[in-house]
Amino acid sequence: MGTEVITIDGPTSSGKNSVGFLLAKKLGYQYIDSGSIYRAGCIFILRKKLHLDNIAGLVKVYKNLAIEVKAYDHIQRFFANGEDVTEILHSQDVTKIVSQVSAIREVREATKVIQRSLTKDKNMIMTGRDIGSEIFPDAKYEFFLTAATEIRAKRRFDQLHQKDSSVKYEEVLSSMIERDKRDSTREVSPLRIPEGAVVIDNSNLTVEQTVDEMLKHINA
Ligand code: DC
């Protein structure tokens, strides 16, 4: 028997990660955010001080990247090459380069191999930008989450503001508009709604309500 994959794609701050985590818990699946795989590679790129135009060097990092996710009751820890990197995945240094690194075709090819191998022996929920469209186009359940730009910006602002009170909503909004545009117009694997995906606009839904909506489709 093969394993099952549920894909969840969507723009930044569309709630993919909270929703993916809760849905996985309810279904007893493993959850993995593919953005974290791109981010994990960036940690090693930074440590090795690789130039971002050294494509062969960057690809080597992803080809040698061993990813493991260990789930506990309420949290999960993300391991790269045996090291727990959970706390540094979202550091500013990584965030600064991940968009550029993940737009490189050869990096995406190497990451695809990791993404596919992770689902070999486990039922999996994977979130990202191209999971239903490129990585698992035959997945039984494919979802696309979205929400109004202002609402996504407010969610992101609330997260950032907790750590840094000088953050401005207007700046978060404008950088989100810019990132949406970059993610949807890039040449390689742009963000798009996978064919046949269930689209859920969760502008006015909580995480629990969004998951309930998805479970309705899964149980239908
Ligand atoms: O979701 P995130 O911010 O952690 O993703 C980090 C970067 O990786 C982001 O710039 C988009 C990119 N990404 C991607 O291109 N494809 C994916 N499946 C997941 C993330």
Side-chain angles (χ1 to χ4, degrees):
M1 254 306 271
T3 53
E4 245 175 46
V5 183
I6 296 176
T7 69
I8 308 177
D9 291 294
T12 186
S13 295
S14 55
K16 300 186 298 279
N17 296 343
S18 327
V19 165
F21 187 70
L22 182 61
L23 184 63
K25 205 171 155 203
K26 293 207 172 189
L27 294 173
Y29 280 30
Q30 175 144 64
Y31 162 66
I32 188 154
D33 163 34
S34 62
S36 298
I37 305 173
Y38 288 103
R39 286 174 179 275
C42 289
I43 293 171
F44 296 97
I45 289 168
L46 289 165
R47 284 193 192 152
K48 288 174 192 280
K49 298 190 169 42
L50 295 177
H51 249 276
L52 298 191
D53 49 16
N54 174 2
I55 308 282
L58 304 192
V59 170
K60 198 167 162 204
V61 167
Y62 286 90
K63 285 203 165 150
N64 291 325
L65 193 59
I67 297 291
E68 211 185 335
V69 176
K70 296 187 185 168
Y72 303 96
D73 194 22
H74 291 293
I75 50 159
Q76 67 178 24
R77 310 291 303 180
F78 194 95
F79 290 77
N81 298 338
E83 177 186 342
D84 183 347
V85 293
T86 317
E87 304 301 331
I88 46 177
L89 284 176
H90 290 266
S91 69
Q92 262 192 341
D93 290 350
V94 168
T95 302
K96 229 184 264 169
I97 64 165
V98 67
S99 182
Q100 194 178 335
V101 171
S102 64
I104 300 169
R105 186 182 302 277
E106 295 88 337
V107 164
R108 300 196 76 82
E109 285 303 316
T111 307
K112 189 192 266 192
V113 175
I114 303 175
Q115 287 165 310
R116 293 204 170 146
S117 76
L118 284 167
T119 63
K120 268 214 296 271
D121 53 4
K122 284 191 195 98
N123 289 330
M124 181 79 70
I125 292 182
M126 195 176 287
T127 52
R129 305 289 195 287
D130 63 339
I131 309 304
S133 59
E134 299 275 342
I135 311 298
F136 298 107
D138 298 328
K140 192 164 169 191
Y141 302 106
E142 298 184 357
F143 293 95
F144 188 88
L145 292 189
T146 188
T149 312
E150 289 73 15
I151 288 180
R152 290 187 292 112
K154 175 72 168 58
R155 289 175 185 163
R156 185 93 190 106
F157 168 78
D158 288 345
Q159 269 173 358
L160 295 171
H161 200 251
Q162 272 178 10
K163 290 189 189 137
D164 177 1
S165 60
S166 68
V167 174
K168 303 265 183 307
Y169 169 78
E170 288 70 24
E171 283 168 20
V172 175
L173 177 65
S174 68
S175 95
M176 183 161 290
I177 291 170
E178 210 173 287
R179 193 158 145 197
D180 279 355
K181 193 168 162 212
R182 213 179 324 133
D183 276 356
S184 326
T185 56
R186 72 176 176 207
E187 196 183 322
V188 190
S189 299
L191 173 71
R192 61 171 194 266
I193 301 174
E195 219 181 292
V198 173
V199 180
I200 300 178
D201 183 324
N202 62 17
S203 297
N204 299 306
L205 299 178
T206 63
V207 171
E208 285 75 13
Q209 288 168 331
T210 309
V211 168
D212 285 346
E213 191 64 35
M214 295 164 100
L215 284 171
K216 273 191 221 155
H217 287 279
I218 293 167
N219 295 326

